[in-house]
Amino acid sequence: MSAMPSYNLGNGVTMPGIGLGTWQCSDEEVRLVVLEALRVGYRHIDTAWLYKCEQGVGDGIKDWVEGGGDRKELCVVTKLPPNANRAEDVERLLDKQLAKLGLEYVDLYLIHHPMGWKNTGADEEGFANLDNETDLVGLWKGMETMVMNGKAKTIGVSNFNEKQIERIIQSCKIKPVNNQVEVHAYFSNKGIVEYCKSKGITVCAYAPLGSPSRGERIKSTTSLETRSLNALEDPVIVELSQA
């Protein structure tokens, strides 16, 4: 994968254009997957507290390093969970994540969602208990401290819209370097992509091939009619692949 395009995030961090996502993996599965991915050339590994597999990701990285790999070649990304969307909780959570990953720092630390959750578990109806007092400007100051403390090389956001990012830009000392959002053949998300480009913020697409399991989950838990989000099964894409 030596010809892989990459993006300079600053502070010595380069993000390869294709990364390994780890959502829905168990620790046991992801350890093997990460190790094999690194062996074949992946250098961009994406995970999150909410994925519940940071321990396995860290074990896979450790196995690779012990086999001769160089940690400095990697771009390891993880995310602050919404129940910690408060400045005073950022370092507490990142310390836990670094311990699970077995790393001294992450290359990119993202705020996973702009809306915070109260740190009391789910509400009585089983939904996330939203914290309507989430202060994104104050939260970002906590994120900046992680760079100053050397626990994150760079910082960014995920699932943020233009107005939310603009609020941060207007008051920040360290600008977000990346916004991770959903982008695929069925959802171009053009508005936020163009906005980020105009601000010099890189965009990382999650679910770039669609997200078939998410569609099935929605179908199994609600009465909503959903279409498959598996772009690899789309008739047009299948036809193009056979041309």
Side-chain angles (χ1 to χ4, degrees):
M1 300 179 71
S2 58
M4 176 66 59
S6 60
Y7 303 87
N8 182 9
L9 302 185
N11 202 19
V13 177
T14 299
M15 173 183 280
I18 295 179
L20 178 73
T22 59
W23 181 47
Q24 300 185 93
C25 287
S26 68
D27 280 323
E28 295 77 14
E29 291 171 330
V30 83
R31 179 176 188 169
L32 299 175
V33 170
V34 167
L35 177 57
E36 185 59 25
L38 293 173
R39 282 174 174 168
V40 301
Y42 278 83
R43 294 295 182 266
H44 173 185
I45 308 295
D46 180 272
T47 189
W49 177 269
L50 289 182
Y51 299 172
K52 300 180 180 180
C53 64
E54 287 174 310
Q55 181 72 52
V57 170
D59 289 342
I61 293 173
K62 179 182 177 183
D63 293 342
W64 179 72
V65 171
E66 289 179 348
D70 186 353
R71 162 67 179 96
K72 294 179 181 178
E73 293 181 5
L74 306 183
C75 179
V76 180
V77 184
T78 194
K79 309 175 190 75
L80 178 77
N83 64 306
N85 270 16
R86 289 167 290 277
E88 63 270 22
D89 285 337
V90 175
E91 190 161 23
R92 177 177 66 85
L93 259 294
L94 181 52
D95 283 347
K96 289 184 177 182
Q97 293 173 277
L98 290 173
K100 284 181 175 290
L101 290 164
L103 300 175
E104 294 181 356
Y105 66 90
V106 290
D107 299 274
L108 174 60
Y109 196 42
L110 304 177
I111 301 173
H112 205 153
H113 291 283
M115 64 283 199
W117 300 346
K118 294 180 181 178
N119 202 12
T120 55
D123 66 15
E124 64 276 7
E125 296 180 353
F127 298 102
N129 199 341
L130 296 180
D131 182 358
N132 293 320
E133 298 182 358
T134 299
D135 176 11
L136 294 180
V137 173
L139 172 59
W140 190 253
K141 294 183 185 301
M143 295 288 286
E144 291 176 327
T145 300
M146 297 305 96
V147 177
M148 297 173 189
N149 290 351
K151 295 181 179 181
K153 291 283 189 180
T154 61
I155 49 178
V157 296
S158 180
N159 299 300
F160 274 53
N161 63 32
E162 295 93 322
K163 290 183 179 180
Q164 292 158 344
I165 295 175
E166 194 65 33
R167 285 167 58 192
I168 290 174
I169 290 176
Q170 292 302 316
S171 62
C172 69
K173 295 180 180 178
I174 302 173
K175 191 174 77 171
V177 300
N178 184 260
N179 186 17
Q180 188 177 123
V181 293
E182 182 177 4
V183 180
H184 50 75
Y186 299 143
F187 184 53
S188 67
N189 219 346
K190 185 175 181 180
I192 188 64
V193 171
E194 292 301 322
Y195 168 81
C196 288
K197 286 183 178 180
S198 74
K199 298 296 181 177
I201 298 171
T202 61
V203 173
C204 180
Y206 67 73
L209 300 178
S211 187
S213 64
R214 181 167 50 179
E216 292 302 316
R217 182 179 295 107
I218 294 172
K219 187 181 297 183
S220 66
T221 57
T222 74
S223 60
L224 297 175
E225 288 294 324
T226 61
R227 66 177 293 184
S228 170
L229 291 179
N230 189 350
L232 296 180
E233 295 179 354
D234 187 284
V236 175
I237 293 176
V238 170
E239 182 178 354
L240 288 172
S241 71
Q242 296 171 346

